[in-house]
């Protein structure tokens, strides 16, 4: 009875813990593993040692994620091209039995643009920002996790906050969807002027393939430059309904808002997510590394 009660209590915190772990790591598999490991650690602790279960689990998950972040930093040194967080890809409409991660990424703080910026922070900056600004954890507790002073933890959060400040606020779903459909229509027509007009003047594109397939090796900035690149990709792969198409796309929710999943006969080939600002596509994120598509839940 005690074990069943503890399991139920843990499950009541699962979505919260997944949210923390995903924001900290940007990895679906790492987030799920961290939450599972926190359950194993909980099973080995006497309940009298825990005053606040949610706070205790949050701290445990954070420590696990911090170790994984440091490990990921080493892997990124040998990575080819740009590094994007793993997207969470689900159906456009919420399932009757929704995936907890799908519920998590429909929150504004887990949208793609925000996750991309979090990936530019150092592990300590990311921990300080997510815990303090996202969860209101006091700096003295954050300092204890990081092994630094409270003032140092506060400065880490300040630096992180400045980096995140440049991210556009998520727009309503209707505005987001209209902008994405406008871009796709322009790409289908092959009209460079129309594609450029569908992109924000300060738009950027980030591709992540780790050398496995064609994408932008460097970050692309500027509407016309991105328009020509996207049209080149479309022509190369024949994406869509063309007779020579090697990939077909379908709409999906990518971190909670409309994006695309491009399918080959043998399964998903890449996921494209978008950020919309001022009625146009501001960010295009091409997830083309098969190793980072574990978050496809269609």
């Amino acid at each position: 009875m005690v074990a069943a009660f503890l399991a139920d209590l843990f499950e009541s915190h699962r979505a919260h813990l997944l949210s923390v772990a995903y924001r900290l790591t940007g990895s679906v598999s790492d987030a799920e593993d961290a939450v599972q490991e926190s359950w194993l650690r909980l099973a080995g602790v006497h309940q009298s040692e825990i005053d606040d279960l949610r706070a205790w689990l949050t701290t445990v998950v954070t420590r696990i994620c911090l170790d994984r972040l440091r490990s990921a930093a080493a892997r990124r040194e040998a990575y080819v091209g740009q590094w994007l967080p793993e997207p969470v890809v689900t159906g456009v409409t919420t399932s009757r039995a929704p995936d907890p991660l799908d519920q998590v990424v429909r929150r504004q703080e887990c949208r793609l643009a925000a996750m991309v910026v979090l990936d530019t922070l150092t592990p300590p900056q990311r921990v300080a920002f997510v815990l303090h600004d996202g969860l209101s954890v006091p700096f003295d507790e954050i300092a204890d996790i990081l092994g630094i002073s409270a003032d140092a933890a506060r400065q880490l959060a300040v630096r992180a906050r400045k980096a995140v400040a440049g991210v556009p606020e998520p727009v309503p779903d209707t505005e987001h969807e209209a902008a994405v459909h406008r871009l796709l229509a322009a790409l289908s027509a092959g009209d460079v002027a129309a594609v450029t007009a569908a992109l924000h003047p300060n738009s950027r594109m980030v591709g992540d393939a780790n050398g496995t397939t064609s994408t932008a090796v460097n970050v692309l900035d500027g509407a016309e430059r991105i328009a020509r690149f996207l049209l080149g990709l479309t022509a190369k792969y024949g994406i869509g309904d063309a007779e020579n198409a090697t990939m077909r796309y379908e709409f999906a929710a990518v971190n909670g808002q409309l994006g695309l999943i491009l399918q080959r006969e043998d399964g998903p080939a890449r996921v494209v997510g978008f950020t919309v600002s001022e009625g146009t596509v501001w960010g295009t994120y091409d997830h083309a590394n098969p190793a980072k598509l574990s978050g496809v839940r269609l």
Side-chain angles (χ1 to χ4, degrees):
M1 290 294 292
V2 173
F5 177 68
L6 185 61
D8 287 343
L9 274 179
F10 180 82
E11 286 302 318
S12 71
H13 296 297
R14 181 177 290 275
H16 161 72
L17 296 175
L18 280 171
S19 175
V20 173
Y22 180 63
R23 291 192 75 202
L24 286 175
T25 64
S27 165
V28 173
S29 56
D30 282 350
E32 292 178 329
D33 288 349
V35 172
Q36 183 61 26
E37 187 172 340
S38 73
W39 162 248
L40 297 176
R41 293 190 186 185
L42 175 63
V45 174
H46 197 281
Q47 299 312 298
S48 63
E49 300 176 34
I50 301 174
D51 293 326
D52 183 331
L53 180 59
R54 180 184 175 97
W56 186 90
L57 287 168
T58 300
T59 298
V60 170
V61 165
T62 299
R63 292 184 186 276
I64 295 168
C65 290
L66 184 58
D67 289 340
R68 291 177 180 263
L69 273 175
R70 288 167 173 160
S71 175
R75 295 198 306 270
R76 288 174 68 164
E77 292 180 2
Y79 205 79
V80 178
Q82 306 304 308
W83 178 287
L84 285 171
E86 293 181 14
V88 177
V89 185
T90 54
V92 176
T93 57
T94 304
S95 168
R96 291 182 179 179
D99 185 320
L101 259 179
D102 180 37
Q103 294 177 299
V104 165
V105 295
R106 290 182 186 271
R107 302 171 186 168
Q108 291 192 2
E109 63 267 23
C110 291
R111 296 291 164 80
L112 270 180
M115 294 299 300
V116 169
V117 173
L118 288 181
D119 260 6
T120 68
L121 304 178
T122 66
Q125 286 175 345
R126 193 165 184 165
V127 167
F129 177 76
V130 171
L131 291 189
H132 184 265
D133 287 42
L135 301 173
S136 300
V137 175
F139 281 120
D140 57 345
E141 294 182 23
I142 296 171
D144 183 59
I145 293 171
L146 295 174
I148 58 178
S149 69
D151 284 341
R154 185 177 291 104
Q155 287 304 311
L156 288 171
V158 168
R159 296 189 192 103
R161 206 172 294 127
K162 289 179 180 178
V164 174
V167 177
E169 291 289 329
V171 300
D173 287 347
T174 52
E175 182 180 343
H176 180 98
E177 292 165 11
V180 171
H181 282 295
R182 181 184 175 203
L183 174 61
L184 293 177
L187 285 170
S188 296
D191 185 341
V192 66
V195 176
T196 302
L199 295 167
H200 192 280
N202 298 323
S203 61
R204 61 188 346 239
M205 176 179 175
V206 185
D208 179 343
N210 195 24
T212 60
T213 189
S214 297
T215 191
V217 176
N218 299 309
V219 177
L220 299 181
D221 291 302
E224 185 171 350
R225 186 183 183 196
I226 294 170
R228 294 188 182 281
F229 182 84
L230 289 175
L231 285 168
L233 275 183
T234 302
K236 180 176 181 178
Y237 290 106
I239 300 166
D241 297 324
E243 291 184 4
N244 67 331
T246 59
M247 284 188 282
R248 306 288 177 180
Y249 72 77
E250 60 181 288
F251 292 111
V254 180
N255 282 49
Q257 290 194 300
L258 189 69
L260 305 174
I261 179 167
L262 279 65
Q263 300 269 14
R264 295 185 189 276
E265 290 184 1
D266 56 350
R270 63 210 303 156
V271 168
V272 184
F274 303 97
T275 296
V276 169
S277 178
E278 299 175 349
T280 53
V281 174
W282 177 88
T284 303
Y285 309 101
D286 183 22
H287 304 83
N289 181 358
K292 287 192 174 184
L293 299 183
S294 64
V296 176
R297 309 295 178 91
L298 293 178

